[in-house]
Amino acid sequence: MNNKPPEFLVVIPARLGSTRLPRKPLADIGGKPMVIRVAERARQSNAQSVVVATDSPEIQAACDEYRIECLLTSPDHPTGTDRIAEVAQLLKLPADTLVVNVQGDEPLIPPELINQVAQTLADNTACAISTVAVPITDASEITNPNVVKVVLNKAGEALYFSRASIPFVRDPELAQDVTHLRHLGIYAYRADFLEAYTRLNPAPPEQAEALEQLRALWNGYRIAVHTASEAPPAGVDTAEDLERVRQILAR
């Protein structure tokens, strides 16, 4: 295992057309658009560069104002991964480049978590992707379909992701011996996987669960999972989330 931190870049996909919170990336947080707050957090990581990928000239203009690198990408991408794949293509990234996907609605993301997901992929050379999970401590989350669960093999690679309660504990007496893991939506990819991803058809389990990472597993790609001790602050999905983040940063 290499002790030297890996080189990587961060790409932040930012789409203006959010359904739950309109114009979310440009929402004001303490005088700055949310996407700028996310990019500033990412710049505190070990990333060699931070790039916003958007379909919106408005978001591009905001990035220009704050001197954040931004690439205008197609409005037709079905997923954030497809948008990041276009960035890898536009930047002509070498096949082994590590690319970390930071969601554009995570203005409180710890820079160390970004470093960790890149390190996990660098350490697991047979894997195309890395991501993060945390132990579930609230039992109600195990059966909550909005909480994505992941089961790992003994090497710390993902066996399956699901909105269902996996692993299902058949014998209640064994429940205390089972740790359920919540998946967090931060990923690192190798650039050659991103190039291949755009040619993969949606997979049946991906469509059933509405989880795009299942497309990679379905096609035989390996996903390394770092298990963090605690979850980072939640991202912004609703107006209430936005107000909570404003209050935290105002302190």
Side-chain angles (χ1 to χ4, degrees):
M1 198 177 287
N2 191 349
N3 291 324
K4 185 186 173 197
E7 294 190 0
F8 64 94
L9 76 153
V10 167
V11 179
I12 303 167
R15 203 169 52 86
L16 204 52
S18 169
T19 48
R20 291 175 73 182
L21 190 60
R23 300 173 58 79
K24 181 162 72 167
L26 295 177
D28 181 88
I29 299 178
K32 293 180 182 179
M34 176 157 54
V35 69
I36 302 303
R37 293 282 183 189
V38 177
E40 288 176 344
R41 296 290 279 202
R43 279 183 163 179
Q44 293 172 34
S45 74
N46 294 332
Q48 271 61 51
S49 61
V50 175
V51 181
V52 172
T54 188
D55 58 358
S56 162
E58 273 189 88
I59 291 175
Q60 188 177 44
C63 291
D64 289 346
E65 182 183 345
Y66 288 93
R67 298 185 177 175
I68 303 287
E69 186 178 357
C70 182
L71 290 174
L72 209 54
T73 54
S74 166
D76 301 325
H77 289 308
T79 71
T81 311
D82 290 289
R83 195 173 304 285
I84 292 169
E86 184 183 346
V87 169
Q89 191 178 20
L90 289 169
L91 295 177
K92 297 182 170 58
L93 298 179
D96 59 350
T97 306
L98 304 188
V99 182
V100 176
N101 171 4
V102 173
Q103 304 290 343
D105 56 8
E106 299 273 358
L108 301 177
I109 188 167
E112 191 47 50
L113 190 67
I114 299 172
N115 294 338
Q116 185 60 63
V117 77
Q119 186 69 57
T120 298
L121 188 54
D123 290 344
N124 290 272
T125 53
C127 294
I129 307 171
S130 64
T131 189
V132 178
V134 293
I136 291 176
T137 55
D138 178 352
S140 68
E141 291 190 346
I142 297 171
T143 53
N144 182 347
N146 294 318
V147 174
V148 178
K149 276 69 68 173
V150 60
V151 172
L152 311 182
N153 65 15
K154 67 178 182 180
E157 295 175 17
L159 287 171
Y160 192 67
F161 298 85
S162 183
R163 297 181 183 279
S165 53
I166 58 169
F168 177 76
V169 183
R170 187 175 176 184
D171 183 347
E173 290 184 11
L174 298 176
Q176 64 188 30
D177 301 324
V178 176
T179 300
H180 288 85
L181 295 174
R182 175 180 187 151
H183 175 233
L184 304 181
I186 179 171
Y187 297 94
Y189 313 96
R190 299 187 196 279
D192 56 354
F193 166 78
L194 287 168
E195 200 266 330
Y197 180 86
T198 60
R199 298 193 302 272
L200 300 176
N201 292 323
E206 169 196 4
Q207 292 174 309
E209 298 251 21
L211 296 174
E212 64 179 277
Q213 64 270 39
L214 291 174
R215 189 183 311 183
L217 286 184
W218 172 262
N219 285 281
Y221 290 97
R222 292 161 65 178
I223 302 177
V225 181
H226 168 68
T227 302
S229 55
E230 58 181 308
V236 176
D237 282 324
T238 65
E240 291 76 21
D241 294 337
L242 181 60
E243 192 51 45
R244 171 181 50 79
V245 168
R246 283 171 172 159
Q247 290 175 5
I248 290 170
L249 286 175
R251 292 178 208 144

